[in-house]
């Protein structure tokens, strides 16, 4: 069993996940594009891991898109994505909110039929270790 620790951008919310992740999906659906403001969401899923809020639990809020299973938990202060337990029996953890290393590679890209047009050839885009001059 593995322990993972994470937090929001402003540091108000801190949490621990005890257990292992079953899968790691990069979701390209339109809902994930909208709520991340990016090409895809990167979420870890577990049916057995346990989530414990270490601080800032009162700053965590959630939104579920009506008529869907799409939900998101986030910090009320800084807006950072946080773990969600909105679907009974399933813990969803945005990979970017973890402060510890994720040891598994993504399981798959999903909903690629909704992939952003500008996401097609990202391997060809120049790379910089920091902000370009």
């Amino acid at each position: 069993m593995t322990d993972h620790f994470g937090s929001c951008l402003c540091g108000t919310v801190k949490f621990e996940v005890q257990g292992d992740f079953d899968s790691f999906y990069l979701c390209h659906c339109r809902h994930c594009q909208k709520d991340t403001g990016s090409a895809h969401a990167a979420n870890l899923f577990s049916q057995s891991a346990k989530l414990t809020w270490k601080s800032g639990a009162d700053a965590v809020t959630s939104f579920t898109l009506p008529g869907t299973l799409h939900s998101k938990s986030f910090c009320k202060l800084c807006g950072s994505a946080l773990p969600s337990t909105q679907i009974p029996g399933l813990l969803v953890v945005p990979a970017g909110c973890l402060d510890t290393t994720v040891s598994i590679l993504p399981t798959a890209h999903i909903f690629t039929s909704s992939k952003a047009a500008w996401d097609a050839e990202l391997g060809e885009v120049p790379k910089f270790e920091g902000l370009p001059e």
Side-chain angles (χ1 to χ4, degrees):
M1 187 181 310
T2 307
D3 287 350
H4 298 278
F5 297 92
S7 59
C8 66
L9 184 61
C10 71
T12 299
V13 180
K14 293 183 182 351
F15 63 89
E16 179 180 5
V17 174
Q18 293 178 301
D20 297 316
F21 296 113
D22 304 320
S23 55
F24 182 3
Y25 291 116
L26 304 178
C27 183
H28 295 267
C29 79
R30 292 294 297 152
H31 300 321
C32 285
Q33 288 177 39
K34 287 284 188 184
D35 78 21
T36 64
S38 189
H40 62 268
N43 289 312
L44 297 145
F45 295 82
S46 180
Q47 294 179 341
S48 60
K50 302 298 179 214
L51 171 66
T52 304
W53 299 111
K54 295 298 193 177
S55 66
D58 57 333
V60 179
T61 192
S62 298
F63 170 77
T64 299
L65 187 62
T68 73
L69 290 177
H70 186 85
S71 62
K72 177 180 181 171
S73 292
F74 55 96
C75 174
K76 292 183 207 178
L77 302 173
C78 67
S80 295
L82 293 168
S84 174
T85 56
Q86 299 303 304
I87 299 172
L90 185 65
L91 174 63
V92 180
V93 179
C97 71
L98 290 173
D99 298 324
T100 51
T101 303
V102 177
S103 59
I104 63 172
L105 291 174
T107 307
H109 288 268
I110 59 175
F111 292 98
T112 57
S113 62
S114 302
K115 196 173 189 177
W118 51 268
D119 189 19
E121 301 295 327
L122 290 182
E124 305 300 317
V125 176
K127 297 170 181 63
F128 300 91
E129 288 187 22
L131 189 63
E133 296 179 15

